[in-house]
């Protein structure tokens, strides 16, 4: 049984009766059993996965209608609610929280007969970019287990990269899908804001984050997008994509497309290996007929500061509900009044979450909002204006997903400021709502490098076509685990 | 000069569902924590889903109070920790970052006094806390989230009121207006709450919170003015503070909490996109709005010649004006108005009595028509109305059962008249010399027929008998 096949191939194989979903899921669970001790991608595994796969095999055999996923085993970041499953956000605060409902993306995947093999690790409440801030321990990079897998959707990237599932759903607030995808050599895609319903995604910074797929191939990402995108009455911020088919015409090529190289994202501090991979990607795109030239987005230099100000503000508010009164962990109320109780109960948050909530209490507060929060909002709108200008001239923008190489676990954990700079190339897509994708492009010294493409709002189809074209230009080695 | 300003919280009780989920807006009929869902208790991952109907209704209130309405409205988060607030922030509106609240400046006349409205905002009601235990040591706080997320409209006025009486008159007009719009039932417990700020000449502004009914609002402002005047007369400084209304003891108490110092860290609610209410949408809403009280009144006076005072009473109360609208015809309008304002209002003068009352528009129409055709006397009609309200039986059945039909049989009436003439020789003589006193004899006939004698016929026959 080859667990390394992409999603679309899996679907075809099950459909044709060449493999059974049950066998594949069983082997996937065995794989998790054998490698996850070393990688720690999973926080929980679905015990009923094999039974669920068996039901799908029966449907295939009897000729009943089968959903588009045909029992495809996928992993779900543990900040997305699956009914009757624990959804912990990798936090002690929600260690025992069992979601009473399905996120919209889960409902849609269930309808298409996907199988959730388990919930995967993340930085607590998705706050981080290494998965080191999980309250249940870090995940490890399958390319070298001494290295971080990126984050916050580290568990998603690891599980796809190490063949513990076929695909995964993560969430991307400032690069949390694209960053680990880049570090683990998978495709990671953040769609246009509003393209995928966030209902059931536990909010960190709700005005800029999106759920996004992590997959082996660009086609797989388009396939999953077809299933999970679209208007949702439960999320007022979703947009109508008129049932766009993102998979059809994916091989349209990029001949004649204008691609802007974002100057501010290949500047100071970029790793030489990353820079050379980026140049290589650009020349490959040019050889396919694209026209590439530099473009400047001046506001990028303030984007990380603005990003942390806005996300901390929203996080401070979004995480306020965790007062342990209605759900949470076991901590009796006797002997406390309200304020002292919640202060005590909320000590169960990890240090990074607490750090961001403290910032989030400060930057939008009366007397400081003008200097911080409102200024950050100004940067956001100026950056949006700049990128909109750029998209008048260019069809796509390009930059490395992360300007530096994956680093060792523990190497930067005590240096939050330097960690924050890892976000410099990814936050722009979130602050402006634009779609962006990380495509695995190179391996340097045994560690992956991803290249990022951005497109204008609702140009996700074009973005996926370009990513597919780029993907076809390289053949990468297999993960060593 | 005394200055009073109000912040009125009015639940949109007539809506089907809450502001951000499909739980019932009418939470009152549920057992504790039975009217809740992942959204209104703010479970992780849930998102607010804006009730468009609530936006419509709140806009109607803004229009009715002559407020400006912005083309686009936005929602904000008001962040503070409190156990009745499931998300520990309230989704509300404000105007500090531009006019984005559902209603801007407006005004309404209260008698000759113009009361200015500062703004109107649409927001969610928190849950309810129930305290148990006697001493502070074993005090238990229980939270009921049935109310959490109920659509609430906050109406903020300028400090334009000069007396509690003006406050009361305004509240009467406002509750009639809200009821007439069909957006709220102000009589429901907890549907109307208010905060007030009160200051007297030479004093500071004092805010009174937690006033649970309109009735108490007048009392609270009255108490507060008296308190402040008493301090002032003794040269004690009136400090700027927040006080709470104690509805048991009917006094205001200085609140130790530092509520006024709270920093709510307002920022845009990203989960709810801006809502457009442009002039086209606004005009459409206007056309869907029920007729205003003042326009109703005008119509009653000009079309049916109903006296101004009667029209006033009739138009301002939705229960009665609805009954009137459904029962009157061109010819019986005045009679229907009469029955409602002189008889029915006395019979069903409380909320409970109204709810128990079995009267329908058909009853009223039948009554008025029967009076006009002489089938039943006004006096008997009153008795019939009693029975209708109590039993809901049809008028003709009641006339039969209670024998209320007019005595209009000439020979029967003649017999009674002759009996009266023989019993009242003195009055007969008087009536002969002074025809105006004949009414006394008519009264006697009525007495003998228990008010059922056809009055016109009786008079005719009497006159004939007296020559």
């Amino acid at each position: 049984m080859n667990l390394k096949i992409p999603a679309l191939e899996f679907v075809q194989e099950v459909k044709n009766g060449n493999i059974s979903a049950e066998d594949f899921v069983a082997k996937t669970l065995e794989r998790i059993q054998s490698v996850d001790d070393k990688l720690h991608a999973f926080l929980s595994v679905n015990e009923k996965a094999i039974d669920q796969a068996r039901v799908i095999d029966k449907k295939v055999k009897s000729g009943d209608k089968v959903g588009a996923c045909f029992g495809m085993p996928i992993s779900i970041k543990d900040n997305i609610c699956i009914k009757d499953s624990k959804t912990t956000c990798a936090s002690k605060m929600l260690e025992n929280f069992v979601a009473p409902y399905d996120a919209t993306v889960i409902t849609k995947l269930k309808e298409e007969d996907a199988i959730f093999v388990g919930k995967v690790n993340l930085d607590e409440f998705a706050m981080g970019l290494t998965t080191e801030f999980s309250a249940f321990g870090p995940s490890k990079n399958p390319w070298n287990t001494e290295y971080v897998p990126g984050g916050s959707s580290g568990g998603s990237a690891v599980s796809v990269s190490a063949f513990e599932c076929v695909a995964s759903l993560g969430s991307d607030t400032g690069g949390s899908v694209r960053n680990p995808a880049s570090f683990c050599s998978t495709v990671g895609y953040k769609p246009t804001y509003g393209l995928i319903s966030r209902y059931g995604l536990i909010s960190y910074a709700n005005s800029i984050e999106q759920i996004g797929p992590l997959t082996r191939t660009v086609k797989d990402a388009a396939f999953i997008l077809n299933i999970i995108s679209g208007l949702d009455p439960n999320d007022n911020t979703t947009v109508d994509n008129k049932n766009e088919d993102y998979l059809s015409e994916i091989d349209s090529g990029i001949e004649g497309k204008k691609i802007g190289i974002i100057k501010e994202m290949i500047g100071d501090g970029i790793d030489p290996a990353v820079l050379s991979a980026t140049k290589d990607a650009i020349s490959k795109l040019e050889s396919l007929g694209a026209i590439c030239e530099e473009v400047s987005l001046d506001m990028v230099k303030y984007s990380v500061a603005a990003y942390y100000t806005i996300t901390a503000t929203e996080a401070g508010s979004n995480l306020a509900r965790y007062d342990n009164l209605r759900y949470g962990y076991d901590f009796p109320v006797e002997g406390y009044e309200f304020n002292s109780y919640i202060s005590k109960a909320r000590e169960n948050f990890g240090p990074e979450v607490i750090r961001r909530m403290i910032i989030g209490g400060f930057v939008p507060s009366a007397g400081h909002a003008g200097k911080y929060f409102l200024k950050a909002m100004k940067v956001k709108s100026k950056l949006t204006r700049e990128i909109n200008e750029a998209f008048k001239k260019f069809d796509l923008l390009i930059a490395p997903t992360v300007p530096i190489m994956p680093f060792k676990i523990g190497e930067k954990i005590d240096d939050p400021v330097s960690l924050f700079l890892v976000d410099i190339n990814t936050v722009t897509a979130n602050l402006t709502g634009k779609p962006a994708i990380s495509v695995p492009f190179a391996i340097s010294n045994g560690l992956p490098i991803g290249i990022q493409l951005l497109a204008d709002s609702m140009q996700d189809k074009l973005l996926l076509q370009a990513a597919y074209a780029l993907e076809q230009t390289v053949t990468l080695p297999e993960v060593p685990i | 000069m005394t200055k009073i300003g109000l912040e009125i919280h009015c639940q949109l009780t007539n809506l089907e569902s809450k502001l951000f989920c499909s739980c019932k807006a009418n939470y009152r009929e549920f057992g504790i924590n039975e009217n809740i869902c992942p959204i209104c208790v703010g479970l992780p991952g849930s998102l607010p889903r804006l009730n468009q109907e609530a936006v419509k209704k709140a806009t109607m209130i803004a229009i009715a109070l002559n407020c400006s309405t912005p083309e686009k409205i936005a929602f904000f988060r008001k962040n503070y920790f409190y156990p009745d607030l499931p998300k520990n922030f309230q989704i509300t509106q404000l105007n500090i970052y531009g006019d984005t609240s559902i209603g801007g400046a407006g005004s309404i006349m209260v008698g000759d006094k113009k009361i200015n409205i500062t703004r109107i905002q649409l927001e969610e009601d928190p849950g309810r806390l129930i305290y148990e235990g006697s001493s502070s040591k074993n005090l238990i706080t229980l939270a009921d989230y049935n109310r959490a997320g109920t659509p609430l409209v906050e109406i903020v006025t300028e400090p334009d009121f000069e007396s509690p009486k003006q406050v009361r008159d305004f509240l009467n007009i406002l509750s009639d207006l809200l009821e007439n719009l069909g957006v709220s039932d102000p009589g429901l417990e907890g549907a109307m709450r208010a905060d007030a700020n009160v200051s007297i000449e030479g004093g500071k502004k004092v805010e009174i919170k937690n006033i649970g009914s309109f009735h108490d609002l007048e009392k609270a402002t009255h108490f507060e003015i008296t308190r402040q005047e008493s301090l002032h007369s003794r040269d004690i400084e009136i400090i700027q503070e927040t006080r709470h209304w104690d509805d048991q003891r009917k006094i205001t108490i200085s609140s130790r909490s530092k509520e006024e110092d709270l920093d709510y860290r307002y920022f845009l609610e990203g989960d709810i996109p801006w809502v457009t209410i442009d002039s086209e949408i606004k005009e459409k809403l206007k056309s869907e709005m029920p007729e205003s009280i003042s326009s109703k009144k005008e119509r009653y006076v000009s079309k049916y010649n109903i006296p101004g005072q009667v029209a006033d009473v009739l138009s301002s109360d939705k229960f009665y004006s609805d009954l009137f609208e459904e029962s009157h015809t061109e010819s019986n309008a005045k009679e229907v108005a009469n029955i409602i304002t002189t008889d029915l209002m006395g019979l069903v003068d409380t909320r409970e009595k109204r709810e128990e009352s079995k009267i329908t528009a058909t009853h009223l129409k039948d009554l008025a028509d029967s009076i006009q055709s002489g089938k039943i006397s006004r006096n008997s009609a009153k008795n019939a109305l009693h029975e209708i309200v109590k039993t809901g039986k049809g008028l003709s059945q009641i006339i039969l059962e209670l024998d209320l039909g007019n005595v209009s049989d000439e020979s029967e009436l003649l017999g009674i008249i002759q009996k009266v003439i023989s019993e009242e020789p003195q009055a007969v003589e008087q009536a002969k010399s002074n025809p105006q006193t004949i009414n006394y004899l008519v009264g006697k006939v009525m007495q003998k027929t228990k008010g059922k004698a056809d009055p016109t016929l009786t008079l005719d026959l009497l006159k004939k008998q007296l020559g």
Side-chain angles (χ1 to χ4, degrees):
Chain A
M1 181 73 57
N2 179 9
L3 293 178
K4 297 167 188 174
I5 53 175
L8 282 172
E9 201 175 309
F10 166 85
V11 166
Q12 214 50 50
E13 292 286 279
V14 178
K15 210 180 202 171
N16 296 342
N18 296 337
I19 58 174
S20 79
E22 184 185 346
D23 281 353
F24 196 93
V25 168
K27 287 284 185 310
T28 299
L29 292 177
E30 278 170 28
R31 172 80 179 169
I32 295 169
Q33 275 266 303
S34 71
V35 298
D36 212 55
D37 277 355
K38 285 179 272 217
L39 300 175
H40 195 231
F42 284 81
L43 294 179
S44 56
V45 172
N46 177 11
E47 308 292 344
K48 294 182 195 137
I50 294 179
D51 295 341
Q52 291 163 354
R54 196 172 298 140
V55 173
I56 288 155
D57 284 332
K58 264 188 199 154
K59 285 206 274 187
V60 175
K61 270 198 194 122
S62 62
D64 287 354
K65 198 179 175 306
V66 188
C69 291
F70 282 86
M72 176 177 90
I74 77 174
S75 72
I76 303 292
K77 189 177 183 179
D78 207 17
N79 60 352
I80 297 172
C81 292
I82 300 181
K83 191 171 191 252
D84 300 331
S85 301
K86 268 190 191 177
T87 302
T88 68
C89 284
S91 176
K92 292 228 159 83
M93 285 304 291
L94 291 180
E95 195 166 359
N96 298 315
F97 176 68
V98 175
Y101 66 98
D102 280 328
T104 300
V105 290
I106 297 300
T107 306
K108 291 186 169 193
L109 283 166
K110 277 184 180 172
E111 280 165 8
E112 295 300 338
D113 284 330
I115 287 175
F116 309 114
V117 279
K119 303 295 288 286
V120 283
N121 206 6
L122 63 151
D123 289 291
E124 184 174 356
F125 281 97
M127 296 178 191
L129 21 106
T130 63
T131 320
E132 288 168 290
F133 292 124
S134 165
F136 308 124
S139 296
K140 286 156 193 176
N141 195 319
W143 290 82
N144 184 334
T145 52
E146 284 179 21
Y147 283 71
V148 298
S152 66
S153 310
S156 290
V158 173
S159 63
V160 174
S161 163
F163 313 117
E164 296 174 286
C165 59
V166 173
S168 184
L169 287 189
S171 66
D172 191 315
T173 310
S176 282
V177 161
R178 289 161 288 154
N179 169 300
S182 174
F183 277 15
C184 294
S185 200
T186 74
V187 171
Y189 165 49
K190 181 208 87 86
T192 299
Y193 186 78
L195 197 53
I196 296 176
S197 168
R198 290 179 293 110
Y199 187 74
L201 165 69
I202 297 180
S203 291
Y204 156 27
N206 51 302
S207 77
I208 59 171
E209 66 202 0
Q210 276 287 286
I211 290 173
L214 293 97
T215 52
R216 304 214 200 297
T217 66
V218 174
K219 271 189 174 176
D220 285 0
F223 168 63
I224 289 174
L225 186 66
N226 277 351
I227 295 168
I228 64 176
S229 59
L231 210 53
D232 177 15
N234 283 324
D235 177 356
N236 284 173
T237 65
T238 50
V239 288
D240 188 1
N241 67 342
K242 306 199 167 60
N243 291 319
E244 177 80 86
D245 182 350
Y246 298 92
L247 199 50
S248 72
E249 298 147 19
I250 198 157
D251 52 1
S252 296
I254 47 156
E255 194 171 348
K257 296 282 183 258
K258 288 187 180 150
I259 302 178
I261 306 152
I262 306 172
K263 201 175 104 189
E264 288 76 9
M265 296 187 183
I266 49 170
D268 290 347
I270 190 168
D271 189 288
V274 176
L275 185 62
S276 110
T278 308
K279 285 180 175 164
D280 187 21
I282 291 165
S283 68
K284 285 201 159 114
L285 289 169
E286 280 173 336
S287 71
L288 293 172
I291 303 137
C292 301
E293 63 184 75
E294 255 189 22
V295 60
S296 173
L297 296 178
D298 196 39
M299 280 295 123
V300 164
K301 61 175 179 274
Y302 302 122
S303 63
V304 176
Y307 167 79
Y308 277 97
T309 306
I310 293 167
T311 53
T313 298
E314 293 189 5
S317 176
N318 285 326
L319 272 62
R321 70 188 64 189
Y322 306 115
D323 53 23
N324 216 42
L325 291 179
R326 290 161 295 275
Y327 48 84
Y329 66 98
D330 201 16
F331 178 46
V333 294
E334 277 72 31
Y336 291 95
E337 55 79 40
F338 177 62
N339 284 308
S340 58
Y341 178 77
I342 61 166
S343 307
K344 193 85 192 147
R346 284 163 66 84
E347 284 176 11
N348 235 10
F349 280 122
E352 181 61 17
V353 173
I354 288 175
R355 176 157 44 221
R356 295 194 197 198
M357 285 196 300
I358 289 171
I359 297 170
F362 178 75
V363 291
S365 62
H368 299 107
K371 205 170 164 192
Y372 300 102
F373 179 65
L374 297 176
K375 224 170 217 175
M377 291 302 279
K378 257 186 207 156
V379 170
K380 181 175 187 261
S381 56
K382 267 189 127 170
L383 180 65
T384 306
R385 274 206 301 275
E386 274 184 9
I387 204 166
N388 285 341
E389 273 308 308
F391 280 123
K392 281 182 188 162
K393 196 170 167 201
F394 298 100
D395 300 300
L396 299 149
L397 299 175
I398 190 168
T401 309
V402 188
I404 60 170
M405 294 298 294
F407 42 88
K408 283 191 174 165
I409 292 170
E411 193 181 322
K412 291 182 193 283
I413 196 162
D414 294 324
D415 187 4
V417 174
S418 117
L419 255 189
F420 289 176
L421 286 169
V422 179
D423 287 319
I424 183 91
N425 287 8
T426 44
V427 297
T428 292
N430 302 86
L431 290 174
T432 61
K434 308 296 179 192
I437 189 165
S438 177
V439 180
F441 189 75
I443 303 294
S444 169
N445 287 327
L447 291 168
I449 297 170
I451 296 296
Q452 179 183 221
L453 289 164
L454 294 89
D456 203 357
S457 301
M458 299 307 281
Q459 294 299 314
D460 295 72
K461 188 161 179 165
L462 171 70
L463 178 71
L464 289 161
Q465 287 168 356
Y468 178 77
L470 180 63
E471 182 187 46
Q472 302 313 303
T473 64
V474 287
T475 310
L476 295 173
E478 208 163 78
V479 70
I481 191 153
Chain B
M1 198 172 73
T2 302
K3 280 185 174 177
I4 305 167
L6 303 177
E7 280 177 25
I8 295 151
H9 293 94
C10 158
Q11 289 179 339
L12 301 179
T13 59
N14 294 1
L15 283 173
E16 179 61 29
S17 53
K18 290 184 179 179
L19 190 51
F20 302 117
C21 64
S22 49
C23 289
K24 298 285 179 211
N26 183 10
Y27 56 86
R28 290 172 179 81
E29 58 196 38
F30 289 89
I32 289 195
N33 286 322
E34 280 177 1
N35 183 40
I36 58 173
C37 74
I39 298 171
C40 59
V41 289
L43 285 194
S46 68
L47 296 173
R49 192 177 57 215
L50 182 62
N51 179 345
Q52 297 294 340
E53 207 52 39
V55 174
K56 274 192 193 174
K57 296 282 194 250
T59 306
M60 285 182 179
I61 295 175
I63 294 171
L65 290 172
N66 309 301
C67 293
S68 62
T69 54
E71 286 243 318
K72 282 185 167 210
I73 62 160
F75 289 87
F76 285 78
R77 289 188 184 177
K78 180 181 183 177
N79 295 286
Y80 64 99
F81 284 91
Y82 211 67
D84 64 4
L85 208 55
K87 304 184 291 290
N88 284 317
F89 63 78
Q90 181 196 28
I91 302 178
T92 180
Q93 296 192 290
L94 74 160
N95 278 342
I96 55 173
Y97 300 117
D99 290 344
T100 58
S101 204
I102 203 150
S107 67
I108 186 169
M109 294 304 291
V110 177
D112 296 330
K113 173 88 184 164
K114 185 178 176 185
I115 299 298
N116 289 292
I117 309 289
T118 315
R119 72 171 178 280
I120 296 179
Q121 60 199 47
L122 180 59
E123 60 189 28
E124 56 178 337
D125 212 351
R128 251 159 32 92
L129 298 182
I130 301 153
Y131 299 98
E132 278 183 2
S134 45
S135 73
S136 64
K137 263 203 163 157
N138 61 8
L139 187 72
I140 297 169
T141 309
L142 301 168
D144 176 7
Y145 294 109
N146 282 351
R147 193 179 74 179
T150 300
L152 203 60
V153 161
E154 181 173 328
I155 300 167
V156 183
T157 79
E158 292 291 309
D160 286 345
F161 301 95
E162 289 158 6
S163 68
K165 162 87 169 63
Q166 272 179 5
V167 168
R168 186 182 68 201
D169 291 346
F170 168 77
L171 295 175
N172 284 340
I173 289 174
L174 182 66
S175 9
D176 289 344
L177 180 145
L178 294 170
E179 205 170 359
N180 183 60
L181 275 177
V183 297
S184 185
D185 181 351
L188 282 177
E189 193 259 321
M192 296 285 166
R193 284 127 43 206
D195 299 340
N197 54 70
V198 177
S199 64
I200 61 166
E201 185 84 59
K204 294 252 171 62
K205 188 171 93 174
V206 174
E207 226 179 313
I208 317 165
K209 297 219 175 243
N210 197 31
I211 308 169
S213 74
F214 279 3
H215 187 68
D216 275 3
L217 187 53
E218 188 191 356
K219 281 193 177 156
T221 49
H222 184 78
F223 175 89
E224 188 55 26
I225 291 166
T226 313
R227 187 189 69 87
Q228 291 182 22
E229 278 171 348
S230 137
L231 288 176
H232 191 65
S233 68
R234 286 177 286 152
D235 277 336
I236 302 170
E237 192 196 355
I238 300 162
I239 53 162
Q240 183 163 348
E241 62 173 338
T242 300
R243 299 175 71 84
H244 277 249
W245 174 245
D246 182 334
D247 66 352
Q248 298 296 312
R249 293 190 285 166
K250 305 291 178 201
I251 56 170
T252 68
I253 305 161
S254 184
S255 120
R256 276 165 300 155
S257 85
K258 292 258 170 40
E259 252 175 76
E260 58 267 50
D261 297 335
L262 270 184
D263 177 359
Y264 293 118
R265 294 180 287 124
Y266 287 104
F267 67 90
L268 260 183
E269 170 54 274
D271 289 332
I272 304 170
W274 293 59
V275 183
T276 302
I277 306 167
D278 56 22
S279 52
E280 196 182 323
I281 297 173
K282 200 176 154 185
E283 285 311 311
K284 190 165 175 285
L285 277 178
K286 270 188 189 166
S287 71
E288 287 168 13
M289 278 166 70
E291 187 182 10
S292 76
I293 290 172
S294 57
S295 147
K296 264 188 210 170
K297 183 189 163 185
E298 248 178 67
R299 182 162 55 89
Y300 295 169
V301 173
S302 63
K303 196 168 172 193
Y304 306 120
N305 211 13
I306 294 171
Q309 245 174 329
V310 174
D312 211 9
V313 175
L314 194 59
S315 60
S316 61
D317 191 309
K318 189 169 158 53
F319 177 76
Y320 296 121
S321 70
D322 281 356
L323 268 177
F324 175 75
E325 295 293 346
E326 286 167 45
S327 57
H328 81 269
T329 60
E330 199 93 1
S331 55
N332 71 9
K334 222 170 159 178
E335 193 64 57
V336 172
N338 217 359
I339 298 171
I340 292 176
T341 51
T342 56
D343 301 325
L344 184 61
M345 282 187 179
L347 282 179
V348 292
D349 54 354
T350 64
R351 187 185 175 83
E352 292 72 36
K353 286 185 193 165
R354 272 189 193 190
E355 274 165 10
E356 284 166 18
S357 158
K358 302 269 194 327
I359 194 160
T360 65
T362 316
H363 286 126
L364 273 172
K365 184 177 177 303
D366 290 351
L367 263 180
D369 290 348
S370 300
I371 291 170
Q372 283 186 327
S373 68
K375 207 170 140 192
I376 184 170
S377 69
R378 282 221 167 75
N379 218 346
S380 299
K382 214 173 196 168
N383 295 332
L385 190 65
H386 252 284
E387 197 62 16
I388 288 169
V389 167
K390 221 163 59 189
T391 65
K393 286 178 187 166
L395 180 62
S396 45
Q397 192 189 349
I398 288 173
I399 290 176
L400 268 179
E401 281 181 15
L402 301 185
D403 188 20
L404 294 174
N406 269 354
V407 179
S408 48
D409 180 84
E410 215 167 300
S411 61
E412 191 188 341
L413 209 49
L414 205 56
I416 298 166
I417 287 171
Q418 280 161 349
K419 208 169 170 209
V420 168
I421 288 175
S422 69
E423 282 171 11
E424 304 277 348
Q426 228 178 332
V428 169
E429 285 314 307
Q430 225 173 9
K432 276 178 180 168
S433 56
N434 180 5
Q436 283 188 342
T437 60
I438 200 165
N439 281 340
Y440 175 78
L441 293 170
V442 174
K444 283 289 160 189
V445 176
M446 286 294 172
Q447 234 173 35
K448 285 206 185 304
T449 57
K450 291 178 185 139
K452 294 184 299 173
D454 182 328
T456 327
L457 188 61
T458 305
L459 193 64
D460 275 1
L461 291 174
L462 250 176
K463 276 182 183 165
K464 266 185 209 163
Q465 289 292 311
L466 298 178

